[in-house]
Amino acid sequence: MEVNRDEAERCIDIATAALTNNQPEKAQRFLEKAQRLFPTEKARVLLELIAKNGFASREGGHSDFSGVSGTRQRQTNTADTRPEEKPSDTSKSYTADQLDAVRRIKQCKDFYEILGVQADASEDELKRSYRKLALKFHPDKNHAPGATEAFKAIGNAYAVLSNANKRQQYDQCGEERRHPSTHSPDSGNFEPDISPEDLFNMFFGGGYPSSNANVYTNGRMRYQRRERRERQRDGGFALFVQVMPILILVIVSALSQILVNSPPYSLSFRSSAGYTQRRLTENLKVPYYVGEQFSREFTGLNLKNLERTVEDDYISNLRNNCWKEKQQKEGMLYRARYFGDNDLYQRAQRARTPSCAKLSEITALLHG
């Protein structure tokens, strides 16, 4: 798989650096891992060389490998040159198209030309162009000479043009624009706030691990973390704005519950807070509780209308309770018949339905 191949290449690079630092044990571990991920001739040759040379350190601390270019160099004066010692076995290949693409980037005169977009390109166009070029020129994919510099130039171009303030300053410079690779250390006019490697990791979730990922972190990583914290704060404010309508609804609902007047009566079986005076309706003798000021507020026709409402609510509650009692009794009878449980059947027959009995009594009074 292509993913395993990239990881194997990374392991080989680590192994080469370990050999440079006179750490053959570490190098062997990573080379064996590289062979398991994606067998290559390069890793096989390096493993054979380690096996032939053994694990003893060279006198004077010299190593058989150079960590700069990755090309193996023998440090021996023996006349016989083995086939595996040829640099071409471990060199990374590249295509003519890749080399031409690198040359094109180096010949670009401004950031817009590097990304291949117009001067009025939108943010989405900049992103699309950067994604395409970053994948094409990443050093782990493009091994042509100068690919690393081209990759950095692409990252710097996007870092500047994606920043509204820096892009405005850059556009105002006109003919004074300079290629990012030609910036002097003290110019800093269009210095990006994030390294090309960190920018790539932000876009692609940390893909293509690079050994020099922290080369350009002098102060800019702190800037990146500060921007990240600011984005987190902005995200918290956006979340608060989204939740605000819900909070308003909850508050309004609570206030409406507080401000609405309490009912003048209660049909509970006992007195409660605010309803301490027990009364009976004149017609059906339905018990209900009222407050201390009830007698002053309700008299005459108002009292009759209120008691009619009390009786209607009472009958409605009886109907609901009667229905529940019947459902419970029928459920017990069904289970008793289904399981053949005589005891359960007898209990179901004896089960009382007081709400139904009271409802029948009230109905008789109304029609009597």
Side-chain angles (χ1 to χ4, degrees), residues 193-204:
D193 296 319
I194 183 173
S195 73
E197 294 82 1
D198 294 330
L199 178 62
F200 184 91
N201 290 337
M202 288 175 60
F203 261 80
F204 300 99

Side-chain angles (χ1 to χ4, degrees), residues 16 39 132 156 174 238 247 304 354:
T16 303
K132 179 180 178 181
N156 292 342
L247 293 176
K304 290 182 179 181

Side-chain angles (χ1 to χ4, degrees), residues 216-243:
Y216 293 96
T217 57
N218 47 355
R220 283 180 294 241
M221 285 298 292
R222 289 191 294 272
Y223 182 89
Q224 180 184 356
R225 287 195 292 268
R226 184 167 66 252
E227 278 192 342
R228 194 172 299 162
R229 287 194 297 268
E230 291 175 356
R231 286 197 299 268
Q232 291 175 352
R233 286 196 296 269
D234 293 341
F237 178 75
L239 179 62
F240 176 75
V241 172
Q242 292 176 355
V243 176

Side-chain angles (χ1 to χ4, degrees), residues 238-268:
L239 179 62
F240 176 75
V241 172
Q242 292 176 355
V243 176
M244 178 70 74
I246 300 176
L247 293 176
I248 293 175
L249 288 175
V250 172
I251 294 173
V252 170
S253 176
L255 289 176
S256 63
Q257 293 291 334
I258 295 173
L259 296 177
V260 79
N261 292 329
S262 301
Y265 65 91
S266 171
L267 288 175
S268 61

Side-chain angles (χ1 to χ4, degrees), residues 201-215:
N201 290 337
M202 288 175 60
F203 261 80
F204 300 99
Y208 303 132
S210 177
S211 59
N212 61 344
N214 295 321
V215 172

Side-chain angles (χ1 to χ4, degrees), residues 70-197:
T71 304
R72 188 179 68 260
Q73 297 176 348
R74 294 284 294 158
Q75 303 294 328
T76 180
N77 294 325
T78 58
D80 55 332
T81 303
R82 297 177 177 81
E84 63 269 22
E85 296 172 15
K86 296 179 181 179
S88 59
D89 291 337
T90 58
S91 62
K92 296 180 180 179
S93 61
Y94 56 89
T95 65
D97 292 339
Q98 289 178 330
L99 184 59
D100 291 340
V102 171
R103 290 172 178 171
R104 186 194 69 80
I105 293 295
K106 289 187 174 182
Q107 293 172 358
C108 292
K109 298 179 180 179
D110 58 39
F111 288 148
Y112 292 105
E113 188 177 357
I114 290 176
L115 296 180
V117 297
Q118 299 296 326
D120 58 349
S122 65
E123 184 176 354
D124 290 338
E125 291 175 332
L126 292 174
K127 287 182 179 179
R128 285 195 299 269
S129 178
Y130 171 77
R131 287 179 185 273
K132 179 180 178 181
L133 294 174
L135 288 172
K136 182 178 180 180
F137 287 92
H138 195 281
D140 286 353
K141 284 292 184 182
N142 191 331
H143 304 305
T148 301
E149 289 73 14
F151 173 75
K152 293 175 181 177
I154 293 166
N156 292 342
Y158 177 78
V160 171
L161 296 182
S162 61
N163 185 309
N165 293 331
K166 288 184 176 292
R167 182 175 182 177
Q168 183 179 6
Q169 297 174 7
Y170 181 78
D171 291 340
Q172 291 174 353
C173 288
E175 297 298 328
E176 296 179 3
R177 298 172 181 169
R178 291 184 295 175
H179 192 286
S181 62
T182 63
H183 277 181
S184 61
D186 58 344
S187 63
N189 292 333
F190 305 111
E191 188 74 11
D193 296 319
I194 183 173
S195 73
E197 294 82 1

